[in-house]
Amino acid sequence: MSTLRISRRAADRLRAGHLWVYRTDLESVPTGDLAPGSLVTLTDSREIPLGTALYSSESMITARLISRTPAITRAQYLADLRSRIDAALNLRRELAPTSAANNAHRLIFSEADNLPGIVADRYNDLVLLQLLTQGTAQDDVRAVITEALCTHLSPGNEALTIWERPDPRIRELEQLAPPPPGPLFTNADAPTTTTFTLNNLHFHYNAAAGQKTGAFLDQRLNYAAAATHVAASGRNNNTLDICTYHGGFALHLAQVCDRVTGIDASRAALEAADANLALNSNLKSEVDWIEADAFEYLRHLDQQKSQTFDAIVLDPPAFAKSKRAAASALRGYKEFNLRALHLLASGGTLITCSCSHHVSLADFTGIVAEAAADAGRRVQLLETRAAAPDHPEVLTLPETRYLKCLICRVD
């Protein structure tokens, strides 16, 4: 097995519980025929072994630690893989059990489940698998995952179809081969669409479309919390959902509000949101959708000063894709929240989110506080929320705490 020697700083990071080694951390450059996705032993600068990792020839994350034991074999890795998948699925059974009210969850969350490079989401009878590294996008890994998922999710031959759908950006960065063209498993007619349920609301899912693997399952409990707080405020007439995507927050608010407007720049997303609205015909609210750039739309409303809202949701995509972009992201969050605070009625509710892991909770909370001061509004923080528990956080992996959701009352 090949050995990679890494810097003292990187070794200290691994010893503190992190799992990544960046290309800039290498003190020895791989030589010879080190195949993409190979298992490698990591050592510190004194050549003391640190464990075994999956090697990537292309990614800036050159190695992902998969065992604290050095020089494990591929067979040992696959055996560990199966036991860790079992542990991940048992945890979901405890924290996010499948029910008639909720049958969509994250099943495997990569490093957070000690399974680097593997993500799996369930949408009712469909499972979407992402193999995100050269070491996991392999047939032997596919076989282990598929067998484990079938054992846990279809012990009595319940309907189940497993599709592999890699993130296109990650696939390009890692230089991964295309996934198999058909399903990895099916005991049905290999459907690509289904209807799933979150908090007793129904949503369409299409495995051949959507952002990443589909709906934002990490916001599941935040959707419900937002609706609860808005209903409790007594201010639930006119509400605004910025960056609504497929209507997650909007449809939950439509249970308790008179009017909800969802804004998104993607026509395809709004068409999906409208189809989801049609699945939930019992909602009390009048709901409409507007295709618009979020910044421009908020700026336009702010300049008009012709209406106020009882609740506003801000749930944009990640503003900071890298650490260098964090400062610019904070400026974007500042403007977003400042405009929203100008538009909220007294006693209204602000639900503001960030999914940029490069922006810390402290920095995000601070920038919302700055916006409140600049807007001259008194803002009470009612709840600080994160991702649903099927997206667990690991204390030594700050990247797993990426989602922040602040629910505020504005005077």
Side-chain angles (χ1 to χ4, degrees), residues 227-356:
T228 297
H229 280 288
V230 171
S233 75
R235 300 298 305 260
N236 56 354
N237 179 24
N238 194 16
T239 60
L240 191 61
D241 180 15
I242 300 293
C243 302
T244 189
Y245 191 52
H246 288 179
F249 276 108
L251 296 184
H252 282 77
L253 291 174
Q255 297 175 108
V256 299
C257 297
D258 296 327
R259 182 179 181 84
V260 178
T261 302
I263 310 300
D264 205 282
S266 167
R267 178 178 292 271
L270 293 178
E271 289 172 350
D274 200 46
N276 291 333
L277 174 62
L279 284 177
N280 298 279
S281 56
N282 60 332
L283 296 176
K284 64 168 284 189
S285 179
E286 179 182 348
V287 180
D288 57 1
W289 315 106
I290 296 176
E291 181 184 350
D293 176 86
F295 279 102
E296 291 179 3
Y297 188 78
L298 282 173
R299 192 177 299 121
H300 169 72
L301 289 178
D302 190 12
Q303 290 170 348
Q304 274 194 328
K305 302 188 185 305
S306 60
Q307 61 179 316
T308 59
F309 297 88
D310 292 325
I312 297 178
V313 176
L314 304 175
D315 187 23
F319 284 167
K321 298 289 189 181
S322 67
K323 198 168 186 178
R324 286 179 296 181
S328 175
L330 288 173
R331 289 192 294 272
Y333 288 125
K334 172 77 173 289
E335 180 181 348
F336 235 39
N337 284 275
L338 181 62
R339 301 284 185 186
L341 288 168
H342 286 164
L343 295 167
L344 273 164
S346 181
T349 306
L350 173 68
I351 301 101
T352 181
C353 307
S354 165
C355 60
S356 302

Side-chain angles (χ1 to χ4, degrees), residues 43 52 116 145 168 194 220 242 336:
T43 71
T52 304
I145 298 172
T194 192
R220 174 172 55 91
I242 300 293
F336 235 39

Side-chain angles (χ1 to χ4, degrees), residues 96-110:
T98 298
S99 66
N102 287 287
N103 60 12
H105 310 281
R106 174 145 291 182
L107 301 172
I108 299 171
F109 190 23
S110 196

Side-chain angles (χ1 to χ4, degrees), residues 4-8 10-11 14 21 25-27 43-45 50:
L4 296 182
R5 190 172 69 250
I6 64 176
S7 68
R8 178 178 178 179
L14 294 188
V21 173
D25 293 326
L26 297 183
E27 288 192 346
T43 71
D44 65 13
S45 56
L50 298 166

